[in-house]
Amino acid sequence: MGMEGMSNFGMAETHKSNASIARSNARVARAQGIASKGKAYGQALRLEQENEVAGDVANENMARLRKEQRQAGAQARVARAASGFTDDGSGGQLEVSVLQAYEQTAQDMVQSRSMEDLSARFNATMLRRSGDLAMQSAETEAVYNEDQARVHMMYAHNAKKAALVSAGAQAAGAIVGFASGGPQGAMMGAKVGAGFGSMYAAGQPGSAESQSKDARNTGAEADFMAILAKGMEWLA
């Protein structure tokens, strides 16, 4: 087997190695995507759980505030009765002022809690969306690497086939040449076969020759024709 055949066998192994690396990269990308999505979803779930607890606490605080409001209203009525004032005028205004103060606090608590709840829900949604996007990006990268692995395996197959065809053509040329002209004919036939094999390999994506296909193919064709012409002159 000539140097080109050995080079193509080496190229085939290189492509196989690259395919293995690409498949490994695909697995890593997909695993990272799953991890990122799981982390984002976990953060979203914790945020929702914390928001639920905050809602329970807010409800307890509101219940406590309403209880205090009722107690304060009752105390205001007792104080008014003790003072001798009627419900009209300043006597009634005292109770109204007390209740209004509690009502304003309650409204502030409701507004604050509503904003906290809205923020928590929005952030949880954004976290899940970021997890989905991370998974999509990772899947895209994984699919790309899997495609690259398939391409490298195709190149490996082509390079190996080119090496076998090149070796076969060289051997066949040597046999035919030997039958026609002995050892000298065998050498000439082997060169003709090598030229044919080089031309064939140049057309195989992934082979050593195809790495600079145009130049190698042109050179191989010229060598083939020159060797063939010399062979025909020798046989004549």
Side-chain angles (χ1 to χ4, degrees):
M1 183 182 294
M3 291 299 296
E4 289 183 351
M6 294 298 296
S7 178
N8 277 318
F9 271 120
M11 188 65 71
E13 291 303 314
T14 298
H15 285 307
K16 287 181 181 179
S17 177
N18 289 338
S20 178
I21 292 172
R23 284 192 293 267
S24 177
N25 289 339
R27 288 192 295 270
V28 170
R30 193 168 279 119
Q32 289 177 340
I34 292 173
S36 296
K37 181 178 179 179
K39 180 180 179 181
Y41 270 59
Q43 290 175 336
L45 179 60
R46 284 195 297 273
L47 186 59
E48 289 173 339
Q49 291 173 340
E50 291 172 357
N51 184 49
E52 185 177 353
V53 171
D56 292 339
V57 172
N59 289 335
E60 292 177 0
N61 290 337
M62 181 61 71
R64 186 180 302 109
L65 179 66
R66 291 304 185 187
K67 181 179 180 180
E68 292 174 356
Q69 183 183 29
R70 290 192 297 271
Q71 291 175 346
Q75 291 174 354
R77 286 192 294 273
V78 170
R80 184 186 67 247
S83 67
F85 290 108
T86 64
D87 291 344
D88 298 328
S90 59
Q93 188 62 39
L94 175 62
E95 182 179 354
V96 170
S97 298
V98 171
L99 295 179
Q100 284 180 339
Y102 276 95
E103 193 61 34
Q104 184 61 52
T105 300
Q107 291 179 6
D108 292 342
M109 289 176 61
V110 169
Q111 183 177 9
S112 177
R113 174 57 199 149
S114 296
M115 293 178 63
E116 290 177 356
D117 180 68
L118 181 62
S119 177
R121 292 177 184 275
F122 175 80
N123 289 335
T125 299
M126 290 299 101
L127 281 168
R128 288 195 174 90
R129 185 168 299 176
S130 69
D132 291 338
L133 290 175
M135 187 67 242
Q136 291 175 7
S137 177
E139 184 63 24
T140 299
E141 183 179 352
V143 169
Y144 170 78
N145 279 287
E146 289 170 344
D147 288 342
Q148 289 298 302
R150 283 190 286 270
V151 169
H152 279 297
M153 288 305 297
M154 180 191 71
Y155 283 173
H157 173 76
N158 289 345
K160 185 177 180 180
K161 183 169 63 174
L164 293 175
V165 169
S166 179
Q170 189 172 355
I175 293 172
V176 173
F178 182 82
S180 301
Q184 187 178 0
M187 293 180 59
M188 183 66 70
K191 290 182 178 180
V192 172
F196 172 78
S198 180
M199 288 175 59
Y200 174 84
Q204 297 298 306
S207 65
E209 290 82 357
S210 71
Q211 300 303 309
S212 54
K213 181 178 178 181
D214 293 337
R216 289 180 180 271
N217 197 29
T218 301
E221 184 176 0
D223 291 342
F224 174 73
M225 296 305 295
I227 293 170
L228 183 58
K230 290 181 181 179
M232 294 301 292
E233 290 176 2
W234 180 81
L235 291 175

